[in-house]
Amino acid sequence: MMKWVLGACLGFFVVSGVSFGQQAGSKAAYRAMLKSQQDSALFEADWNEAKKLSANIVEPNSFKDAKQDFHSFETASGIGFAQQMPFKVYSVVDPSNVILSFDGSLLWLQGASTGGLHIGDSIRILNPISFGPPKPYQDKPIRSAKTMTGAEFDTIQKKIARDKRKEKSQVFELSDGKTIEAVFVDVRKGKAILEDLDGASLEHALTEFSAKSASTIRELFKKKPKETKPK
């Protein structure tokens, strides 16, 4: 069975590319384009009719508004949205655990309200999810994920972003002895533009820094990739 990647999951059928290897305007190219449009419409209709698992989040109003962060279900990891993946109910474990199927693979979803779900139901998961370690099911390990509230998702996203900034941050010393841990961004009109660990923008005149930190900022500015101006 074909393993779905993001393009198939989302129903994003590349109409402009279906005639590759076919003569432009040929009957074969037209049939391929028509089938692509029909498949895309069916995929969206199935999303509209599917049962939605959600709680404490802002729900998408339509298929086109749904979020999809994972490029491939087989390699999906971390946290994100899978609102367009066409899952089906494989087995209901208990009121908050359900086994879902997707293109021949199984997913143990935790933290979902399973009331009213039946085997074979089409499901879309609207909550952000967090992939975890495999769980044993029918004597073999299967993938697992847990639903998250919007607040939980935002908190973890902020932590991930903060950790990434910390990896690139440096400690800059001001002339009064105070220090700032931040990421260098730019120098504009004699001011250093920095970003603190929480993502806030900071501006300080170069004259406000110690001689050593001012020198470091000038070196960082010299090494900064030059922006290409649009023609």
Side-chain angles (χ1 to χ4, degrees):
M1 181 180 293
M2 177 187 70
K3 295 299 179 183
W4 288 39
V5 293
L6 182 62
C9 297
L10 305 184
F12 290 164
F13 300 90
V14 185
V15 175
S16 61
V18 294
S19 59
F20 180 75
Q22 301 169 352
Q23 184 178 353
S26 68
K27 290 182 179 180
Y30 176 77
R31 286 196 296 270
M33 182 180 68
L34 182 62
K35 183 178 184 307
S36 172
Q37 292 172 340
Q38 291 172 338
D39 287 344
S40 183
L42 287 172
F43 194 89
E44 182 170 349
D46 188 50
W47 188 92
N48 292 332
E49 295 173 4
K51 292 182 178 180
K52 311 299 193 299
L53 298 182
S54 66
N56 302 318
I57 63 161
V58 177
E59 299 184 8
N61 294 320
S62 67
F63 168 79
K64 292 181 177 64
D65 295 328
K67 298 177 182 178
Q68 186 68 38
D69 292 325
F70 304 107
H71 297 288
S72 167
F73 177 69
E74 288 186 332
T75 60
S77 62
I79 65 171
F81 287 91
Q83 293 180 339
Q84 294 183 352
M85 280 186 173
F87 292 101
K88 287 189 177 295
V89 175
Y90 186 82
S91 175
V92 177
V93 179
D94 59 36
S96 61
N97 288 267
V98 61
I99 309 298
L100 302 176
S101 64
F102 176 82
D103 195 36
S105 299
L106 297 180
L107 175 71
W108 186 309
L109 183 67
Q110 308 168 70
S113 177
T114 62
L117 297 185
H118 302 91
I119 294 173
D121 284 347
S122 291
I123 293 295
R124 299 298 182 273
I125 306 169
L126 301 188
N127 284 78
I129 58 177
S130 172
F131 281 92
K135 290 181 69 70
Y137 180 70
Q138 295 182 344
D139 299 324
K140 64 179 182 180
I142 63 173
R143 304 209 65 189
S144 76
K146 183 178 181 180
T147 61
M148 309 170 68
T149 65
E152 289 172 333
F153 182 66
D154 290 343
T155 297
I156 292 180
Q157 272 197 315
K158 288 177 181 177
K159 183 181 183 305
I160 291 172
R162 196 177 198 278
D163 290 344
K164 287 182 177 179
R165 291 189 196 99
K166 191 169 182 63
E167 290 177 1
K168 299 187 295 182
S169 69
Q170 297 185 54
V171 176
F172 300 99
E173 184 181 26
L174 298 172
S175 55
D176 61 5
K178 294 181 180 179
T179 58
I180 302 172
E181 184 174 3
V183 178
F184 170 80
V185 177
D186 202 355
V187 173
R188 299 173 194 149
K189 297 180 180 180
K191 290 185 177 181
I193 313 298
L194 308 174
E195 187 177 71
D196 71 12
L197 297 184
D198 292 320
S201 181
L202 307 174
E203 290 188 16
H204 288 277
L206 285 174
T207 54
E208 294 180 47
F209 291 92
S210 68
K212 182 178 180 181
S213 287
S215 176
T216 299
I217 290 170
R218 291 188 182 94
E219 287 300 315
L220 290 170
F221 178 69
K222 289 178 182 178
K223 295 176 181 178
K224 182 177 179 288
K226 301 299 181 185
E227 297 179 1
T228 54
K229 295 182 179 179
K231 296 180 179 179

